[in-house]
Amino acid sequence: MSPDPAKAQDAARPHLSAARVLDIDPLLDDPKTRIVVCCGSGGVGKTTTAAALGLRAAERGRKVVVLTIDPARRLAQSMGIDSLDNVPRRVKGTESDGELHAMMLDMKRTFDEVVEAHADPERAAAILANPFYQSLSAGFAGTQEYMAMEKLGQLRARDEWDLIVVDTPPSRSALDFLDAPKRLGSFLDGRLIRLLTAPAKLGGRAGMAFLNVGMSMMTGTLGKLLGGQLLKDVQTFVAAMDTTFGGFRTRADATYKLLQAPGTAFLVVAAPERDALREAAYFVERLAAEDMPLVGLVLNRVHGSGAGRLSAERALAAAENLEEPRIVDQGGGKAGLRNSPDTYGSSESPASATPAPDDGSPASNDDSPAVESDSSDDSSPDADTNADAERSVDQLTAGLLRLHAERMQLLSREQRTRDRFTARHPEVAVVEVPALPGDVHDLTGLRDIGDRLAAGRTELS
C-alpha cells in the first residue's frame, strides 16, 4: 500500500507538534496591548521581528513607534529612512490609516535628558560637563539597558502612540535587560557613593570635621589607586548628582512595574539552534519568576524542504551509486552469452561457433564490413560526447542529492532542538518564521515577515 502523499508532505514540514500556536494578529489588534518587548540572545533577528510587528500593527490601523537599540542601523535602512536618532521619525509607505514611527536609542542623549529633567539648570550644566559623568553616560556597564527602559518610560508617559514595540539591546545574556535598572540603582546606592556624599549630608562643623579627618585618609588612599584628578571628578559628580539619585531609583522601579503590567507583552525571539533556544528557555523561566507577561516564542530562520519524502540516507545512497556505479547498476553486457549453454566450456566467440551457411557462401568473420561498421560506431566522437554528457549529468545529480541530504540532516537537528524546548516548556505558544535567502532591506520584506508571523505555521522554503 503506497503512503498517503498528504501525510508524507505534512511529516516533511517543520513543525512543533506539541506546541501551542502563537496567534500574532489578535495580540497586535488588542487595544489593551500597549507595549511589545522583543527579547532574546544576540543575532536571532530581534530587530527584524520588532520592525515587522510594528509595520503589521500600523497597517492594521494602530499608531506605532518602534524603539530599537541595534547599532547596525538595519531598521532605518529597511524602513527607507536615512538615519534614526533619539526622536521618533514617521515612516512613509504604510498601506493603511495607521502610522508607523521609528527611533534608535541614543544612550548618552537619553542620560542627558534625565539629568536636565531632574536638576536645575546650573547643577545640570555642572553634571553634563563633568568628565566622570561623560564616561559613565557613554559606557558604564548596564547603562544602555537602563536607558532603553528610561526611554520606554518616557514614550509610554507621553501616551502619543497606541503601541510601542521595543527591540531590546544586543547582549551576551538576555537577562541584562531585566537586571540593568537594579544594577545601576545598586551603583548609585553603593558604599563608595554613600561615603563620598557623606560630608555634604552631615553639613556644618560635623561635616567639616569628618571631611578633615576621615576623608583626608580615604581620599589619600583612593587618590593613589584611582588618580587624584579622577577622584576629584567623582566627588564633584556625586555632589552634583546627589539630588537626582532618588529620581533614578524611582523611575527604575516604575519602569519595572510597567513591564509587569497587563498591557505589556514579552516575545522571546530565538533561532532553532541549541545555544539560542537554551538562552530562550532560561529567559522564559526568568520572566515567569519575575511575573513578566510572556505571550510566546518567535522561532526565526526555520528551514524546510519540499522533498521531505526523500530521506537523507536514501539521497546519499543514490549519490554514491551515481558516483561509483556497482555491478548491479550495469547494463546487460554479455549476460545473454554467459547464460547460453552452447558457450559453456568453450573459448570460442559466438561468431566463430556459428556454422557456415548451406549455400556455400563464406561465413562472416571479424573482418566483415558489418562488424567493422559496428566497431566504428562504438568508438565514434558522438558516442564519446554522449558518454561525457551522461557522466556530467550523473555528477550534477549526485551533487544535488548530497545537498538535499545536508538539508534533511539540518531539518532533523532543528526538529530535535525544537522538540527539546517544547518538552521543557509546553505552555509557551510558538510561531515559526522560515529562513529567507537574504536579508530584509525594505518595507516589502518586512511586510512579508509580518505575513509569515501571522500565518502561524512555517512555509516551505
Side-chain angles (χ1 to χ4, degrees):
M1 181 177 178
S2 60
D4 185 349
K7 292 183 178 179
Q9 185 175 3
D10 183 66
R13 184 187 298 276
H15 66 287
L16 286 165
S17 57
R20 296 167 46 218
V21 176
L22 174 62
D23 202 348
I24 289 293
D25 283 345
L27 172 69
L28 298 180
D29 294 343
D30 188 352
K32 295 180 181 179
T33 303
R34 303 297 304 275
I35 298 173
V36 173
V37 182
C38 297
C39 51
S41 56
V44 296
K46 294 193 304 294
T47 299
T48 302
T49 299
L53 289 171
L55 177 61
R56 187 169 185 85
E59 294 190 334
R60 296 177 71 85
R62 304 197 70 179
K63 188 176 181 181
V64 185
V65 60
V66 178
L67 168 62
T68 183
I69 303 94
D70 179 25
R73 301 186 180 274
R74 292 190 303 273
L75 181 63
Q77 296 172 1
S78 64
M79 292 184 171
I81 300 176
D82 293 335
S83 63
L84 294 177
D85 53 24
N86 223 34
V87 178
R89 306 287 181 181
R90 177 76 180 269
V91 177
K92 299 178 181 180
T94 56
E95 300 176 351
S96 76
D97 295 333
E99 294 183 14
L100 177 61
H101 301 252
M103 62 180 296
M104 179 178 293
L105 177 72
D106 184 331
M107 181 177 63
K108 188 178 187 310
R109 182 57 199 153
T110 302
F111 211 147
D112 292 348
E113 291 173 355
V114 173
V115 171
E116 292 168 350
H118 296 87
D120 59 74
E122 182 178 354
R123 190 181 296 270
I127 294 172
L128 297 178
N130 184 271
F132 180 75
Y133 165 78
Q134 293 174 358
S135 299
L136 173 69
S137 60
F140 183 75
T143 303
Q144 186 181 51
E145 288 83 358
Y146 176 86
M147 289 306 152
M149 291 298 91
E150 181 72 36
K151 180 56 68 176
L152 172 59
Q154 293 176 7
L155 293 173
R156 184 66 182 86
R158 291 167 61 178
D159 203 25
E160 184 176 348
W161 292 276
D162 298 335
L163 178 65
I164 303 170
V165 182
V166 182
D167 165 34
T168 58
S171 58
R172 293 183 60 186
S173 172
L175 300 182
D176 290 346
F177 180 71
L178 295 177
D179 290 337
K182 293 181 180 179
R183 190 185 310 121
L184 189 59
S186 298
F187 166 74
L188 297 176
D189 281 332
R191 291 183 178 180
L192 176 60
I193 297 297
R194 293 201 307 269
L195 190 59
L196 291 175
T197 57
K201 291 181 178 179
L202 288 175
R205 293 183 179 181
M208 290 302 297
F210 180 87
L211 179 64
N212 292 335
V213 180
M215 287 295 289
S216 60
M217 297 175 60
M218 185 198 72
T219 55
T221 303
L222 289 176
K224 294 178 181 179
L225 295 174
L226 304 177
Q229 185 59 46
L230 175 59
L231 181 59
K232 183 178 179 180
D233 292 339
V234 173
Q235 290 175 316
T236 304
F237 164 76
V238 169
M241 284 287 288
D242 183 45
T243 57
T244 66
F245 285 168
F248 272 95
R249 289 188 294 271
T250 300
R251 285 189 304 280
D253 293 341
T255 303
Y256 201 76
K257 291 179 180 179
L258 180 64
L259 294 176
Q260 294 175 317
T264 300
F266 277 85
L267 280 174
V268 178
V269 183
E273 301 167 358
R274 184 180 60 182
D275 292 342
L277 277 175
R278 182 188 297 119
E279 188 77 9
Y282 192 26
F283 206 135
V284 166
E285 295 165 3
R286 174 64 186 276
L287 288 172
E290 299 288 340
D291 294 325
M292 299 290 179
L294 171 68
V295 295
L297 170 73
V298 174
L299 199 58
N300 255 335
R301 302 168 188 165
V302 177
H303 293 87
S305 174
R309 296 177 63 181
L310 178 59
S311 67
E313 293 76 12
R314 290 177 60 194
L316 288 174
E320 290 174 356
N321 280 335
L322 286 172
E323 293 170 340
E324 299 179 15
R326 278 24 175 204
I327 188 65
V328 296
D329 304 308
Q330 303 305 306
K334 296 182 179 181
L337 299 180
R338 290 195 299 271
N339 294 333
S340 173
D342 295 336
T343 59
Y344 287 167
S346 172
S347 60
E348 294 180 348
S349 66
S352 61
T354 302
D358 295 336
D359 59 4
S361 61
S364 61
N365 52 42
D366 289 342
D367 295 330
S368 65
V371 174
E372 288 178 0
S373 176
D374 291 342
S375 175
S376 175
D377 289 344
D378 290 342
S379 60
S380 66
D382 291 341
D384 293 340
T385 301
N386 292 336
D388 291 341
E390 290 180 0
R391 283 193 295 270
S392 297
V393 171
D394 288 348
Q395 291 173 355
L396 177 60
T397 305
L400 292 175
L401 286 167
R402 289 189 180 279
L403 286 176
H404 175 75
E406 292 177 3
R407 168 59 68 96
M408 295 306 295
Q409 290 168 347
L410 174 63
L411 265 61
S412 179
R413 289 196 301 272
E414 290 184 355
Q415 185 67 57
R416 290 194 300 270
T417 304
R418 297 196 301 269
D419 287 346
R420 282 196 293 269
F421 177 88
T422 303
R424 186 173 179 181
H425 296 286
E427 77 285 358
V428 178
V430 181
V431 61
E432 299 181 13
V433 180
L436 300 179
D439 292 333
V440 176
H441 299 291
D442 52 24
L443 289 181
T444 301
L446 291 177
R447 194 172 290 117
D448 182 36
I449 294 293
D451 291 341
R452 294 168 185 263
L453 277 165
R457 60 186 179 87
T458 300
E459 300 293 340
L460 294 177
S461 59

